[in-house]
Amino acid sequence: MCIRDRATREQNLLNKAGAPTILMELFCRENVHEQHFNTGIVLAIRLLDGGNIHVQQSFYDFLVNSETTELFFARLQSFFDAEIKEMTEGVDTRGVKRLMKGISESYRTTNVGIRDVLRLLQLFTEGHFREMQDLVRYQRASRQNISIPDLVVNLMKQLITHESRRNYEILIQAFDTLTEFVQGPCVENQRTLADGKFLDIAVLLLQRYPRGGRAQMLPGIIGNFLRTKVAGGSKKKSKETKGELLSMFERISPNVTELLQHQLSEMDLPSYEGYMTSRLKHRCLLTLVSMLEGSTDTYIARKILKAVPISILMQNLVFVYDAFARNYSLKYTMEAFDHATWNPETRKGPRLEFIFGNGFLSFILLNALTEVNPG
């Protein structure tokens, strides 16, 4: 018996023994020790790992039939609120569950964070479990509905502007969770993202490039100048060099100067390490494509088209093509398709920043959006 089959068998045995019900009763208690709550989250993730539909169904059955379900969603909301408060106000919430009503401050030995909560929510809906996809958006029997997709997006709005290795890992998981919420498709969740602030996050991320990456796409003398002077210098020196460049081109053509000013301002956008930016874009593009999955009308496509300029998708496509040409001389190899899985601790260099899939996903989006608006 392979490892996956053994894990599924153990999950099913624990499910038959009532483990999901026991965990949900724990999560919904008026008072519960934080250690017990945290350990329960870890066990729930293990039970659901791999998208076990029988375990998913048990969690769902409890959530739609229990009178205490509202408390569970309120506690999830507390996780998100505490994480956002820490970033926006500098409040130390490493013991984030202190803000969660009814959870004791004792026994802080199991460290569960927002990334674990996001992973749990992803596993709740994995495999296009439609009923749970609907439930995380709308709890029909609750007095106060809590839209989990909106909570995830609100968290991402802060994560995208508070850069750190930890926040990068949370953002990756957040994109994976949202993608699982909308695939299937779940049209209502697709529209929730389209009507909310998710597209603002997508635009902000898609216009970021690895340091000097924007310069790689500019033509001729301008691109060479930026690659050698702007992208490689200190922040102060970079500012001086940009001013020098703008003055030089103002004497040539005001129109060129206006275009260049726009390009230089975009280069000032903050960015993670190159490979982080590329991997975040990959997850973001996958979510955007998933939002269009199974569309029977143009509503979501028009929402994306209004928020995400075609030029940004074109620039991402050109960036991938240019990286492919520089690194592989436009020759397809298995390695070229594998960069998204490379370990950045052991694989270094510019190839790490190049993800082939970003080009294909950008092309898919461009095709879908130009069908809506051929102009």
Side-chain angles (χ1 to χ4, degrees):
M1 182 182 293
C2 70
I3 295 175
R4 180 68 261 170
D5 289 342
R6 188 181 302 116
T8 301
R9 179 174 176 274
E10 291 170 354
Q11 288 171 339
N12 290 337
L13 287 172
L14 287 168
N15 183 49
K16 289 180 180 179
T21 300
I22 294 170
L23 287 173
M24 288 308 307
E25 288 175 346
L26 173 71
F27 296 153
C28 296
R29 283 181 187 172
E30 287 289 341
N31 293 284
V32 55
H33 284 306
E34 184 178 347
Q35 181 192 25
H36 300 161
F37 188 92
N38 291 351
T39 304
I41 293 288
V42 173
L43 179 56
I45 290 172
R46 295 285 181 85
L47 282 172
L48 288 159
D49 188 44
N52 190 313
I53 185 60
H54 304 295
V55 179
Q56 285 178 321
Q57 189 66 50
S58 295
F59 277 109
Y60 174 78
D61 289 343
F62 182 95
L63 287 169
V64 295
N65 293 308
S66 173
E67 296 180 357
T68 59
T69 296
E70 193 170 339
L71 181 57
F72 174 69
F73 282 96
R75 284 178 171 163
L76 291 181
Q77 184 175 28
S78 294
F79 267 94
F80 287 94
D81 290 346
E83 190 70 32
I84 291 172
K85 188 171 184 177
E86 180 175 357
M87 284 184 283
T88 57
E89 301 180 15
V91 176
D92 182 3
T93 57
R94 280 186 291 268
V96 63
K97 278 68 65 183
R98 280 177 289 183
L99 301 180
M100 296 176 62
K101 181 181 177 182
I103 296 186
S104 168
E105 296 185 32
S106 305
Y107 305 110
R108 301 185 190 285
T109 58
T110 305
N111 184 23
V112 165
I114 194 69
R115 186 183 173 195
D116 300 286
V117 174
L118 288 165
R119 175 62 177 159
L120 177 63
L121 291 167
Q122 178 192 5
L123 290 170
F124 271 166
T125 58
E126 190 159 326
H128 315 154
F129 186 12
R130 179 57 188 273
E131 290 83 358
M132 189 69 90
Q133 287 175 321
D134 288 334
L135 186 65
V136 296
R137 182 192 70 258
Y138 179 59
Q139 302 88 53
R140 187 181 303 275
S142 296
R143 291 166 295 178
Q144 180 180 1
N145 184 66
I146 295 173
S147 173
I148 300 298
D150 287 332
L151 290 182
V152 176
V153 171
N154 288 338
L155 173 66
M156 294 172 76
K157 284 167 57 181
Q158 299 302 323
L159 291 169
I160 203 75
T161 56
H162 293 79
E163 296 182 0
S164 68
R165 177 58 187 251
R166 173 182 178 273
N167 288 354
Y168 158 75
E169 298 287 353
I170 297 171
L171 265 174
I172 289 288
Q173 180 59 65
F175 277 119
D176 289 346
T177 300
L178 288 183
T179 299
E180 202 63 57
F181 283 176
V182 301
Q183 284 182 337
C186 179
V187 176
E188 293 80 2
N189 285 351
Q190 290 174 332
R191 292 200 171 207
T192 295
L193 295 191
D195 292 336
K197 299 295 183 181
F198 175 76
L199 296 178
D200 296 339
I201 296 168
V203 171
L204 185 60
L205 179 58
L206 290 175
Q207 62 185 331
R208 295 183 178 187
Y209 292 87
R211 189 164 177 78
R214 172 72 65 181
Q216 295 286 0
M217 300 194 307
L218 298 179
I221 187 172
I222 302 176
N224 290 334
F225 190 94
L226 290 175
R227 281 191 284 273
T228 57
K229 299 290 187 181
V230 177
S234 66
K235 193 169 186 179
K236 181 179 178 181
K237 184 67 176 176
S238 174
K239 186 176 181 180
E240 293 171 355
T241 306
K242 289 176 185 178
E244 175 189 344
L245 186 64
L246 287 169
S247 297
M248 181 175 68
F249 277 93
E250 182 133 29
R251 294 192 293 269
I252 301 173
S253 169
N255 292 334
V256 172
T257 305
E258 183 180 350
L259 173 63
L260 186 60
Q261 178 70 63
H262 175 69
Q263 299 284 6
L264 289 173
S265 66
E266 288 188 345
M267 285 187 69
D268 282 331
L269 290 168
S271 65
Y272 288 96
E273 292 182 44
Y275 79 90
M276 293 181 178
T277 300
S278 297
R279 293 184 183 191
L280 285 170
K281 282 189 179 188
H282 185 70
R283 296 308 213 285
C284 179
L285 287 164
L286 184 58
T287 305
L288 287 170
V289 169
S290 297
M291 287 171 63
L292 292 170
E293 180 184 324
S295 291
T296 57
D297 57 40
T298 62
Y299 179 82
I300 294 174
R302 290 188 180 278
K303 283 279 189 175
I304 296 175
L305 188 62
K306 184 177 179 180
V308 183
I310 290 290
S311 60
I312 288 181
L313 294 175
M314 287 293 295
Q315 288 165 1
N316 277 275
L317 188 58
V318 170
F319 178 81
V320 173
Y321 179 86
D322 182 64
F324 182 41
R326 282 184 286 107
N327 290 290
Y328 292 98
S329 302
L330 301 180
K331 295 179 180 178
Y332 291 96
T333 67
M334 290 305 296
E335 180 187 281
F337 288 88
D338 201 33
H339 292 191
T341 63
W342 280 9
N343 182 350
E345 302 300 324
T346 58
R347 302 291 291 269
K348 304 293 182 182
R351 288 189 177 186
L352 187 64
E353 301 173 357
F354 160 53
I355 296 181
F356 222 152
N358 289 0
F360 288 112
L361 291 169
S362 296
F363 182 74
I364 291 170
L365 274 175
L366 280 166
N367 271 345
L369 299 182
T370 51
E371 285 180 7
V372 172
N373 184 9

